[in-house]
Structures are given as structure tokens and as C-alpha cells.
Amino acid sequence: MKPLSAGRDTLLDRFGRLLADRLQSQTSGYEPYTPSDPETLARTLRPGDILLVEGNQKVSAAIKYLTQSTWSHAALFVGEAAPLTLDQAALPAAERPQLIEVNLGEGCVAVPLTKYRTYNTRICRPIGLTPEDRDTVLTFMVSRLGLKYDMKNITDMLRYFLPTPPIPVRWRRRMIAFGSGDPTRAICSTLIAEAFEAIRYPILPDITRAPGHAAATSTYSRQEILHIRHHSLYTPRDFDLSPYFEIVKPTLKYGFDYKRLEWAAGREGP
């Protein structure tokens, strides 16, 4: 992502803003099945957690199609590490900016949990992260606040106007990274992946299996060698699929007893 150049807006700048506004307009008919409770999310989230969001913007539809996933957006929870004004510090936790995300056209910003009170969400928690590495990830994201998306990256935006392009599945991930030469920041997962790449924390690395030595527990063992994938190729669903991130469900986190549920009398059919 390149900072916007100073000076008067050009025709290309204005055209880029127009495209971004159109792509961020909401689609009709979206109804979350289990909408988020910001207060419960505030109790559950820990710094370093990733919040996946099922978006309802026009760009969200294209991202869902290209990634074959319900998740179209990702934000990193930084908690108290986010810089606050005096007025913001006095707000309840769920209303203070505690998530860092990147939005098309807007850039890297801090937003409150209440922004996603009407969306389906999922919490992905990196397991075994040391306090030092967690601080590195948080510092990386906080330092990117204010970074602007370059409106001149028209090719980065035009692709999302065709929600379901006739592209083979194996090429769709590559299409997300396609752009003007600078890895796209239209999807916030790329910036989050870059933060975890800085501490060499795995998400979905490429794995090569090399011959190993015979062991008592098996007839033949193999050594797994991990290869870092470029952060621009990561999508929101990769944190959901990663074997190194735990899926945290607030309903289960604070105790769930199915015996205490109240069911309507009788059995209702479809």
C-alpha cells in the first residue's frame, strides 16, 4: 500500500474514490444467523486474536466467491494497545477502538467491536504465542494505522465488480494478489499475515516431506519442512482453516448447558 501523494486530486484519484465507494455499498437481503454481541466479544477476545467477519458489501461477495468461504474480512484485536483519545478512553470496552483492520479506499484504521454487532463473526486464536511475539504483532499493526490505500490502484478494485468471474478454482487465490505490483491491501488478511510472518508464526505454510530415519513407533518416518508463503496470498478463511489457530466460541467459553434451554411446546417442522 502506497501513501496517497500530496497535492490536488487528479481525475484518477476521483475515479478511484468512486470505485471504492461503489464496492463498499451494502448488498440487500443479508441476515446474520448468529449476530455478534459486542459485550460478549469484548470479554472473550484477547490481544492477538483475529476476528473474521461475514461482510455484506459488494466487494465481500467477490471475496467470498474467490476464496470459496463465508468469511470476507479479517481484523486483529489489539485491545488496549490501540491509541485512544480522551473521549474514547471513557467509553465502554465494546465502543472503544480495539480492532485494527484495512478497508478498501480507507486504509488501516482502528474500529470498535460495535461495528460488527449485526454480522456473523468467528474468533481465531493463535496457540502458544509468546508474550514477546504477541507484542511484536500488536506493535506491527498499530504502527500501520493511518496508512492509506492508493486510489490509483484501479486494477486492484476493478476485479471486484465481477462477483463470480469464470476462473478455475486453482487460480482464484492468485487473482486476489493480482494488482499494480504492490501487494493488495483490499483484504485485511494480507496485512495480518504479514504481521505473523514477522515472528515466523505459521498460518498455512507449504509443507515438503523429506525422507527421515526409521523409528520404533513407525516403519518409516518423514521430516516435515515448512516453507513460508507470501503474505499477499492469504485470505480470511486461511485463519479459520489453519491448524495453528483455535476457534473460540463465546457461547461455549463461558459455560453452556443444553438442559437449561427453553424449547417451544411441540415440534415445529420446516
Side-chain angles (χ1 to χ4, degrees):
M1 190 191 317
K2 301 173 184 177
L4 285 171
S5 58
R8 285 195 323 176
D9 286 348
T10 65
L11 180 61
L12 197 58
D13 290 323
R14 293 194 293 272
F15 182 54
R17 266 200 301 274
L18 176 63
L19 292 181
D21 290 342
R22 289 284 301 277
L23 284 171
Q24 292 182 96
S25 61
Q26 296 185 348
T27 56
S28 60
Y30 175 79
E31 293 186 14
Y33 193 74
T34 54
S36 304
D37 173 12
E39 289 72 27
T40 303
L41 282 178
R43 281 196 308 161
T44 309
L45 285 163
R46 300 176 185 172
D49 286 353
I50 295 168
L51 187 70
L52 301 182
V53 181
E54 181 185 47
N56 67 336
Q57 299 175 331
K58 290 183 178 179
V59 66
S60 305
I63 293 171
K64 292 176 188 179
Y65 173 77
L66 291 173
T67 63
Q68 297 293 284
S69 170
T70 188
W71 309 115
S72 62
H73 187 64
L76 187 83
F77 183 74
V78 299
E80 302 302 322
L84 303 175
T85 64
L86 289 177
D87 291 340
Q88 291 172 335
L91 295 173
E95 297 178 21
R96 295 196 298 267
Q98 294 186 307
L99 292 170
I100 293 182
E101 63 183 19
V102 175
N103 296 318
L104 180 65
E106 186 178 14
C108 189
V109 295
V111 299
L113 293 172
T114 51
K115 177 179 179 180
Y116 296 115
R117 67 165 66 248
T118 59
Y119 293 83
N120 293 326
T121 60
R122 170 162 291 174
I123 299 173
C124 299
R125 176 167 296 161
I127 297 302
L129 201 61
T130 66
E132 295 78 15
D133 282 346
R134 179 176 291 107
D135 289 344
T136 299
V137 169
L138 301 187
T139 300
F140 180 97
M141 294 297 291
V142 170
S143 69
R144 266 60 179 181
L145 285 171
L147 200 61
K148 299 295 184 181
Y149 187 84
D150 190 349
M151 295 298 183
K152 296 183 180 67
N153 291 344
I154 301 300
T155 54
D156 279 347
M157 291 184 274
L158 286 176
R159 84 194 83 166
Y160 297 115
F161 278 95
L162 188 61
T164 56
I167 297 174
V169 174
R170 66 182 181 275
W171 292 347
R172 289 175 190 169
R173 179 187 294 269
R174 289 283 175 180
M175 184 178 176
I176 292 175
F178 169 77
S180 59
D182 189 30
T184 179
R185 294 293 186 265
I187 302 179
C188 189
S189 52
T190 62
L191 189 63
I192 297 175
E194 189 175 1
F196 280 94
E197 183 181 294
I199 61 170
R200 300 185 73 82
Y201 190 93
I203 302 172
L204 284 178
D206 290 326
I207 299 177
T208 300
R209 294 200 168 189
H213 300 285
T217 56
S218 63
T219 56
Y220 196 72
S221 64
R222 288 180 178 272
Q223 179 184 12
E224 291 187 344
I225 301 174
L226 306 184
H227 300 273
I228 294 177
R229 288 165 50 199
H230 196 273
H231 54 263
S232 68
L233 296 177
Y234 281 102
T235 67
R237 83 163 190 167
D238 290 332
F239 298 102
D240 186 13
L241 298 178
S242 173
Y244 313 109
F245 284 77
E246 177 186 9
I247 304 303
V248 181
K249 298 187 176 182
T251 303
L252 307 181
K253 188 72 174 176
Y254 292 98
F256 169 69
D257 183 0
Y258 74 95
K259 293 291 188 181
R260 298 178 63 181
L261 297 179
E262 294 186 14
W263 294 91
R267 181 175 179 179
E268 299 181 3

